[in-house]
Amino acid sequence: MLVEIETAWSLSGYLLVCFSAGYFIHDTVDIVLSKQTRASWEYLVHHVMAMGAFFSGIFWKSFVGGGVLTLLVEVSNIFLTLRMMMKINNAQHLLLYRINKYVNLVMYFLFRLAPQVYLTKFFLQYAGERTLGTFLLVILLMLDLMILIYFSRLLRSDFCPERAPSRQHKDKFLTE
């Protein structure tokens, strides 16, 4: 699936993409129904873009390999969630938090930035065509921008706290 991103297909990969699209639908509906739209608009934008990409694999059965590859991002979410839980509990002074911030850097590079660069390079071959690949390239480029913004926020918050913006919304950890 890493080599044949467009044509590779397996039942397990297809089901993983279907399940993931269902998660994004569920989470989007939950955000809207719980009236967290304004505080979570970045998540909503991300979810809509991800659903658009996953639906290409579901309905056209193409780029399933790309969908599976993008799910590597979820590995880094484990450590980002651990970080957020420690911040919620004001546990930034713990050794575990300090270790986790370096683990976050490594995981961010390995499971967010590296797959995005690989996929972006792959999809750039569709730049001049009017195909599903071009549509997915546009989504991917917007996700690239979001991932870089999140990475800069993570760096500022954990490694340059004096340069991090003041917290206006104490319940919003996405800004950090």
Side-chain angles (χ1 to χ4, degrees):
M1 285 197 167
L2 288 175
V3 178
E4 298 295 330
I5 291 173
E6 182 178 4
T7 58
W9 193 92
S10 71
L11 181 60
S12 61
Y14 180 76
L15 292 174
L16 179 61
V17 169
C18 289
F19 180 81
S20 299
Y23 160 77
F24 282 109
I25 292 168
H26 176 271
D27 200 42
T28 299
V29 170
D30 182 55
I31 289 170
V32 171
L33 292 179
S34 64
K35 296 184 172 105
Q36 294 298 312
T37 308
R38 178 171 277 170
S40 302
W41 70 269
E42 291 164 317
Y43 285 123
L44 291 174
V45 169
H46 171 265
H47 285 14
V48 168
M49 288 188 293
M51 284 185 281
F54 287 141
F55 288 158
S56 71
I58 294 168
F59 297 120
W60 289 282
K61 293 188 180 175
S62 62
F63 298 106
V64 171
V68 170
L69 186 58
T70 61
L71 291 170
L72 285 175
V73 166
E74 300 308 318
V75 173
S76 72
N77 281 350
I78 296 166
F79 301 97
L80 289 170
T81 301
L82 180 60
R83 172 189 178 273
M84 183 174 61
M85 289 172 22
M86 286 189 281
K87 285 184 85 71
I88 288 171
N89 290 302
N90 292 320
Q92 293 97 319
H93 62 282
L94 294 178
L95 176 62
L96 180 60
Y97 183 87
R98 291 193 300 271
I99 291 170
N100 187 59
K101 75 180 187 179
Y102 291 102
V103 171
N104 262 326
L105 276 182
V106 172
M107 293 299 139
Y108 213 93
F109 275 110
L110 290 177
F111 295 103
R112 281 186 188 253
L113 296 176
Q116 286 294 116
V117 167
Y118 181 77
L119 285 168
T120 302
K121 181 179 175 239
F122 176 85
F123 279 104
L124 280 173
Q125 71 186 357
Y126 294 98
E129 301 174 22
R130 289 185 158 177
T131 64
L132 182 58
T134 304
F135 168 73
L136 294 173
L137 174 63
V138 171
I139 290 175
L140 191 61
L141 291 173
M142 289 189 293
L143 288 172
D144 289 349
L145 181 63
M146 289 181 81
I147 284 176
L148 290 173
I149 290 169
Y150 294 158
F151 187 61
S152 71
R153 289 178 183 174
L154 179 70
L155 288 176
R156 273 193 319 237
S157 176
D158 280 353
F159 296 97
C160 303
E162 65 281 351
R163 299 180 81 193
S166 63
R167 288 181 54 190
Q168 296 171 347
H169 304 285
K170 292 184 179 185
D171 60 337
K172 188 175 179 184
F173 286 88
L174 192 59
T175 60
E176 302 182 352

